[in-house]
Amino acid sequence: MPSPARRFSTDRFLFGGDYNPEQWPEEVWHEDVALMRRAGVNAATVGVFSWAALEPAEGVYEFGWLDRVVEVLHAGGVGVVLATPTASPPPWFTRAHPDAMPVGPDGVRLSHGSRDTYAVSAPAYRDACREIVQRLAERYGSHPALLAWHVHNEYGTLDWGEHAAAAFRRWLQRRYGTLTELNRAWYTSFWSQRYGDWEDVLPPRATQYLANPAQVLDFKRFSSDEMLQALREQRDVIRATGSAAPVTTNFMLPTWNHLEQWSWSAELDLVSVDHYLDTVGPDGETHAAYGADLTRSFGQGDPWLLMEQSSTSSTVPGRRAHKSPDRVIRNSLSYLARGSQGALFFQWRAPAAGSEAWHGGIVPHTGAGSRSFRGFEQLGAVLTAIAEAAEPPAEGPLVEADVAVLWHAEGWWATDAPQLPSDLLDYSSTVRAAHRALWQAGYAVDFAAPGADLSRYRLVLVPSMFALDGQAVRRLEEHLAAGGHLAVWPFTGYADEDLHVVPGGYPGRLRHLLGLHVEELHPLAAGDEVLLESDGTGPLRGRVWSELVVPDGAEVLAAYAGGGLDGKAALTRHRVGAGVAHYVSTFLDEEPLRRWLTAVCEQSGARPVLGAPAPEGVEVVRRRGARADHLFVLNHSGVPVRVTGPGTNLLTSSPADAGLRVEPRGWAVLRTTERDGWSAEALEA
Ligand code: GAL
């Protein structure tokens, strides 16, 4: 059951976004609220980068403007997600505390002039954060308009300076206790790196040649923990004032990743995320679903909040690509279907100038007479019509999934290291490919932390996780012993948590489960491919990686066809107790990956959302609710589809028993109490 704080906005979905009134004269605020009402906006995220406006000089506070903003919003029925402004200390702060500016690995200290420029371990920075947060919390903590606290913005500034060095040493002392243990874990007998004094231990600063990978990984772990401590301090200041509003911070997914989100999420009342599509092509839909499923999973299946998505355009390499209104609506519904309590945007009004003048807004430069604004009005109407779906079930997760994908920031960090067997190894693309395949096959998916309880899943996927600790391995053993299925990709379980390779053949930590060992690695050149024996429906083609697999009990389902590994095992299956462990020894292309995973899902007993695959390009998600469930049907394709089943479309009040047409690029949200009896088919265009 969601924790009380995570029962957030249960009577309606939030709609709105970042609101920066300090960039505009006061008369515009009134126009803003009038337009918000017109579009159905009910939430504004205020104050994200407002430190300089709130404290124009050290100890001089100006809250009058924010008081008026909050009142204007409240009078217009718009709730406030109040940010703490600590992501961007004002210029006076940096001049007063030059040591609180971050230093890069190359020793260059950064200056103000942009944003996010602070050394998170600097005492002066942390003190200043607590001070401004205390004042904000005392002033607004019990305001009736306050919906939530938005601490900071996208934590992620790393620092290699002197404050970081001192804090890193303290962190290492807690982790390892003694230098002997640190030397063992870091394998410092290599290249004469042995440490004889804690003062010699540094963040991984620029050095002559390759850095120590264990030191780099620990620095990433430390940086995440250090930023988390800064978040906790702000949260505790807020709570100490008695403010009851839930506390969150917006993660950034998934283009960069400096946080270990599982531990962060455990500290938050409400998990929230900024999610920006990495493509404007059709694959953007699978990306939205990926970000949403990850975020819901970080929050253990509870409701969460989409804090930002782009409004009228997306950043893709070299340009700002237009985002069509129908796509904005379908993406928003995908996030809601997968557990978000709202669709918030970056940002309410497009700025007139500044380095993000072209990042768009619900109110674009062209104003509220635009096609895009009308699209947002339509979204507001849709969200109002489906408000009942915001109420979560009394028990259990919002989305029931039979399949879980193991996910951990450390899998990503460890695979970022140079001099691995292949530079083409790419953790996040591999995980995303697995998720995409399941999206295409119509399965609901959770992510799970290595070491977490897996008992509710029929199938667990490990699409690469270089290092696994003992607890993670035990959980996989238990999962198989209980009759679950496991599917493993290459470059998994090679090492322990200190990145020490387990001897005796890869993947050392999982050999006994997979019933095989890998004797030789044969990574491929960029653009090269390997072929596997056909599975009867078409070629199985892989890239990036191949390897010499020696079965030790595993059954070979397909061998390599041609090339140096011709006839050697490529795809295997191994019975372990009541369970089955599947292994693929290359990174399959999209289509064969979908076929292989669909077959694995079927063998495991996992059930697609509709009971059968949905037509191509059609996304169906069941969001569980308090009195009924809601089936979100998103037709991303160019042909109409018919959905048939025991439910009623909330948007038209039409029953679906005899079939309901969903237009190309359209949507339907169906109230239902039945899990079975649903189908969807593509119609002639
Ligand atoms: C987000 C950030 C916003 C804004 C936006 C631009 O990641 O939180 O402040 O910079 O990107 O698209």
Side-chain angles (χ1 to χ4, degrees):
M1 177 163 133
S3 68
R6 286 186 175 166
R7 291 189 61 82
F8 176 72
S9 187
T10 55
D11 57 343
R12 64 195 167 147
F13 290 114
L14 296 187
F15 171 38
D18 277 36
Y19 181 42
N20 305 304
E22 66 272 35
Q23 295 176 16
W24 303 94
E26 210 155 325
E27 58 268 21
V28 176
W29 307 354
H30 295 277
E31 185 194 323
D32 283 331
V33 173
L35 288 175
M36 288 179 187
R37 290 177 71 96
R38 199 169 113 190
V41 161
N42 55 22
T45 305
V46 179
V48 178
F49 295 110
S50 297
W51 199 339
L54 293 170
E55 192 180 0
E58 184 154 20
V60 178
Y61 295 97
E62 285 188 3
F63 288 110
W65 68 270
L66 185 54
D67 292 351
R68 294 196 297 286
V69 166
V70 171
E71 285 316 318
V72 170
L73 290 168
H74 185 47
V78 180
V80 173
V81 177
L82 188 57
T84 69
T86 53
S88 229
W92 61 255
F93 174 83
T94 69
R95 205 149 55 84
H97 305 285
D99 65 299
M101 292 294 93
V103 177
D106 53 0
V108 173
R109 191 180 291 280
L110 304 183
S111 301
H112 59 252
S114 177
R115 68 172 186 190
D116 298 294
T117 317
Y118 54 83
V120 72
S121 308
Y125 171 71
R126 297 273 273 269
D127 291 348
C129 289
R130 281 195 298 268
E131 184 65 38
I132 186 83
V133 171
Q134 172 93 29
R135 283 169 192 270
L136 279 171
E138 281 169 354
R139 199 168 184 101
Y140 303 105
S142 50
H143 195 287
L146 184 64
L147 296 169
W149 285 100
H150 169 306
V151 169
H152 202 89
N153 191 65
E154 297 181 346
Y155 274 101
T157 299
L158 305 194
D159 172 38
W160 285 256
E162 66 275 22
H163 294 301
F168 186 38
R169 280 181 210 119
R170 289 194 294 274
W171 184 91
L172 290 167
Q173 281 163 352
R174 285 195 297 278
R175 183 175 174 91
Y176 295 114
T178 63
L179 274 177
T180 309
E181 184 54 16
L182 175 125
N183 281 312
R184 182 206 61 76
W186 284 15
Y187 206 67
T188 56
S189 46
F190 182 73
W191 283 351
S192 184
Q193 289 176 359
R194 188 186 162 278
Y195 292 97
D197 190 315
W198 282 104
E199 288 303 305
D200 292 337
V201 182
L202 295 172
R205 293 179 179 157
T207 187
Q208 205 292 120
Y209 186 42
L210 300 171
N212 180 328
Q215 180 188 8
V216 171
L217 179 60
D218 269 347
F219 183 68
K220 290 185 177 172
R221 289 168 169 153
F222 151 76
S223 297
S224 174
D225 286 355
E226 184 72 356
M227 291 185 277
L228 177 55
Q229 184 52 27
L231 166 104
R232 276 195 208 103
E233 287 170 14
Q234 293 200 27
R235 181 202 61 194
D236 293 348
V237 166
I238 291 168
R239 284 191 180 156
T241 65
S243 178
V247 174
T248 187
T249 189
N250 47 343
F251 297 155
M252 174 64 184
L253 274 176
T255 36
W256 50 272
N257 185 30
H258 295 307
L259 310 183
E260 192 286 274
Q261 292 91 349
W262 298 109
S263 56
W264 280 67
S265 300
E267 304 275 350
L268 298 170
D269 297 327
L270 175 73
V271 177
S272 67
V273 74
D274 298 347
H275 193 256
Y276 287 85
L277 301 189
D278 63 357
T279 171
V280 285
D283 198 33
E285 277 71 47
T286 70
H287 195 241
Y290 175 56
D293 286 342
L294 262 172
T295 312
R296 184 189 66 254
S297 303
F298 292 148
Q300 305 300 325
D302 287 345
W304 56 278
L305 183 62
L306 177 74
M307 193 66 88
E308 290 179 27
Q309 60 176 321
S310 64
S311 47
T312 47
S313 66
S314 302
T315 313
V316 295
R319 70 190 166 110
R320 294 213 53 90
H322 177 71
K323 203 171 166 190
S324 62
D326 65 273
R327 174 165 229 171
V328 168
I329 295 176
R330 279 181 286 111
N331 284 166
S332 297
L333 290 175
S334 177
Y335 294 117
L336 301 183
R338 294 165 194 275
S340 176
Q341 295 304 94
L344 303 188
F345 290 82
F346 187 79
Q347 55 202 316
W348 167 251
R349 190 180 273 279
S355 45
E356 292 188 339
W358 302 102
H359 280 237
I362 295 176
V363 183
H365 288 151
T366 42
S370 54
R371 178 173 81 126
S372 66
F373 189 80
R374 286 194 295 281
F376 285 105
E377 288 178 297
Q378 190 184 0
L379 173 59
V382 169
L383 297 186
T384 303
I386 65 167
E388 65 170 57
E391 192 173 354
E395 303 267 330
L398 274 172
V399 176
E400 260 169 7
D402 291 339
V403 185
V405 178
L406 282 203
W407 200 93
H408 202 278
E410 290 190 13
W412 185 329
W413 297 337
T415 313
D416 270 350
Q419 300 271 327
L420 297 177
S422 168
D423 289 348
L424 301 176
L425 290 167
D426 180 341
Y427 177 79
S428 78
S429 302
T430 306
V431 177
R432 170 118 196 261
H435 183 272
R436 181 190 290 114
L438 294 166
W439 186 101
Q440 290 167 340
Y443 288 88
V445 184
D446 277 348
F447 290 85
D453 176 19
L454 300 170
S455 54
R456 87 170 94 117
Y457 302 109
R458 318 271 327 170
L459 170 64
V460 172
L461 311 183
V462 194
S464 285
M465 185 71 72
F466 173 58
L468 286 173
D469 67 15
Q471 167 73 359
V473 176
R474 272 191 298 282
R475 289 295 197 188
L476 297 178
E477 288 167 349
E478 287 164 16
H479 171 71
L480 286 162
H485 283 233
L486 170 70
V488 176
W489 277 240
F491 210 59
T492 296
Y494 280 31
D496 64 16
E497 59 273 34
D498 298 321
L499 304 183
H500 293 202
V501 172
V502 179
Y506 321 110
R509 293 224 128 165
L510 297 183
R511 284 193 307 253
H512 64 302
L513 298 182
L514 299 175
L516 55 83
H517 68 276
V518 175
E519 208 170 283
E520 294 169 10
L521 306 181
H522 295 230
L524 305 177
D528 282 1
E529 56 186 48
V530 280
L531 279 180
L532 280 56
E533 287 172 334
S534 167
D535 63 353
T537 41
L540 291 169
R541 187 175 283 111
R543 291 174 203 279
V544 175
W545 193 267
S546 60
E547 56 190 20
L548 176 59
V549 173
V550 181
D552 304 315
E555 173 191 353
V556 179
L557 297 181
Y560 286 102
L565 293 170
D566 185 43
K568 303 291 185 197
L571 207 61
T572 66
R573 187 167 64 180
H574 185 226
R575 286 188 194 285
V576 188
V580 180
H582 308 256
Y583 185 64
V584 59
S585 64
T586 181
F587 296 99
L588 292 173
D589 278 357
E590 183 170 323
E591 172 50 29
L593 179 65
R594 169 164 39 155
R595 290 206 311 270
W596 175 62
L597 274 182
T598 304
V600 169
C601 283
E602 280 166 6
Q603 288 170 46
S604 75
R607 185 182 187 277
V609 179
L610 277 182
E616 187 95 23
V618 177
E619 177 178 357
V620 183
V621 186
R622 173 181 292 267
R623 176 176 163 133
R624 297 180 57 243
R627 275 168 288 278
D629 293 350
H630 295 89
L631 209 60
F632 287 65
V633 182
L634 309 175
N635 183 5
H636 306 298
S637 81
V639 296
V641 295
R642 180 164 47 225
V643 185
T644 310
T648 304
N649 187 2
L650 294 182
L651 297 159
T652 57
S653 302
S654 322
D657 310 65
L660 190 91
R661 183 181 164 102
V662 183
E663 297 301 333
R665 290 176 248 296
W667 49 83
V669 178
L670 299 140
R671 180 198 299 134
T672 183
T673 48
E674 305 297 322
R675 213 172 152 196
D676 297 320
W678 286 98
S679 64
E681 59 182 322
L683 302 171
E684 290 303 315

